[in-house]
Amino acid sequence: MKALVAVKRVVDYNVKVRVKADGSDVDIGNVKMSMNPFDEIAMEEAVRLKEAGKISEIVVVSLGVKQCEETLRTALAMGGDRAIHVQTDDYLEPLAVAKLLRKIAEREQPQLILLGKQAIDDDANQTAQMLAALLNAPQGTFASKVELGENEVTVVREVDGGLETVALKLPAVVSADLRLNEPRYVKLPNIMQAKKKPLEKLAVEELGVDIAPKLQQQKVAEPKPRSGGVKVQSVAELVAKLKNEAKVI
Ligand code: AMP
């Protein structure tokens, strides 16, 4: 059984992102970039399923600038078998990503498609859902446990009220949440081996997808610094403050 794992190159989660002086965007020049943390979890899950003999091949895919190759090499070092890089300098909205991933999925015919639940740069939390809709495939988002059978996958989902278990017919789309697993540390020999693994390059035009943005970014601004909190003595005082000061009730 084949798994396809989507990995995005994002600003490292330790970096405090700054807004550009002209407020047009955030400044990611000379900033450390890494694999999106939720995609590392998705990748780790695929590797564990392969180690358990449930998956025979892991194909990793990344869409974006040339340096996405580094992210793909990391995924290959974690245990991916081969990589696909759809190279573009254009900004990709989640719908464009989902459309491109659909094309890759149609070519590769994976039984399981794993993504992160959200990318920590756009925080969109949309791609897995859109991809499942485009493929007309079942989706198990926010997965905290994945059990893969021959024809179906059981996914325990983190939902607002607790946990929900769903059984999905394969092929299915699953997005990884934080508690699914703890990704392994990539060792040097694996990094060296990963350099020899196949990495296919594709252009957006080859996939015939319209990636033109549907949204226009008007302005980016730092959030206002928070003012200090206060302790209230009673519920009545809290209600009064919410009514008269915060004006939210
Ligand atoms: P988002 O909907 O943007 O929050 O992203 C959700 C997930 O979609 C990510 O965790 C990745 O698995 C996948 N994804 C989004 N953008 C890309 C990309 N450019 N390349 C590969 N995977 C992506």
Side-chain angles (χ1 to χ4, degrees):
M1 189 184 297
K2 191 194 280 187
L4 181 71
V5 187
V7 293
K8 185 176 188 186
R9 179 177 184 268
V10 296
V11 172
D12 189 89
Y13 71 96
N14 282 311
V15 172
K16 168 133 182 28
V17 180
R18 305 206 175 277
V19 175
K20 282 184 182 169
D22 64 1
S24 61
D25 207 340
V26 290
D27 190 358
I28 58 164
N30 298 320
V31 156
K32 184 177 180 222
M33 306 292 283
S34 302
M35 187 189 299
N36 183 45
F38 292 107
D39 305 355
E40 274 189 63
I41 297 172
M43 192 57 217
E44 174 67 32
E45 197 62 19
V47 176
R48 288 186 192 188
L49 288 168
K50 191 174 174 200
E51 287 168 347
K54 303 207 163 163
I55 278 176
S56 50
E57 188 185 26
I58 302 172
V59 180
V60 292
V61 55
S62 193
L63 325 172
V65 293
K66 175 152 185 13
Q67 295 87 330
C68 291
E69 272 176 31
E70 293 161 20
T71 315
L72 286 168
R73 290 286 171 208
T74 306
L76 293 173
M78 284 179 81
D81 294 295
R82 61 188 170 87
I84 300 172
H85 179 201
V86 181
Q87 191 170 327
T88 174
D89 289 340
D90 290 337
Y91 179 73
L92 296 171
E93 286 176 359
L95 182 58
V97 175
K99 286 180 179 173
L100 291 166
L101 290 177
R102 170 180 50 175
K103 292 287 178 184
I104 304 284
E106 283 168 356
R107 285 164 59 123
E108 293 289 337
Q109 297 290 318
Q111 290 296 93
L112 185 65
I113 305 178
L114 284 159
L115 300 91
K117 76 161 178 183
Q118 78 192 61
I120 62 164
D121 50 2
D122 62 15
D123 271 339
N125 177 10
Q126 294 173 0
T127 309
Q129 296 87 334
M130 288 174 168
L131 176 62
L134 291 170
L135 289 171
N136 201 16
Q139 57 179 284
T141 48
F142 315 116
S144 65
K145 193 169 175 201
V146 171
E147 266 168 6
L148 187 59
E150 286 204 355
N151 300 309
E152 67 174 33
V153 59
T154 306
V155 177
V156 178
R157 306 182 57 229
E158 303 216 3
V159 292
D160 282 349
L163 297 174
E164 178 191 50
T165 305
V166 290
L168 316 172
K169 284 219 163 63
L170 298 177
V173 177
V174 172
S175 80
D177 211 324
L178 199 62
R179 275 169 280 267
L180 181 58
N181 60 49
E182 219 169 280
R184 68 197 56 198
Y185 181 74
V186 183
K187 299 193 189 106
L188 188 61
N190 297 345
I191 296 174
M192 300 313 284
Q193 277 168 15
K195 292 187 184 185
K196 294 189 204 119
K197 293 187 181 176
L199 191 155
E200 183 187 358
K201 289 268 183 189
L202 288 174
V204 171
E205 299 73 51
E206 286 174 77
L207 297 170
V209 171
D210 173 16
I211 59 162
K214 310 278 185 247
L215 305 173
Q216 208 182 33
Q217 189 163 292
Q218 301 282 315
K219 190 178 151 212
V220 177
E222 294 265 2
K224 281 200 192 109
R226 290 187 179 199
S227 52
V230 285
K231 271 194 181 167
V232 291
Q233 301 301 323
S234 65
V235 174
E237 193 187 341
L238 172 65
V239 172
K241 277 188 181 296
L242 291 174
K243 243 186 206 160
N244 306 326
E245 290 177 26
K247 296 191 176 16
V248 289
I249 56 171

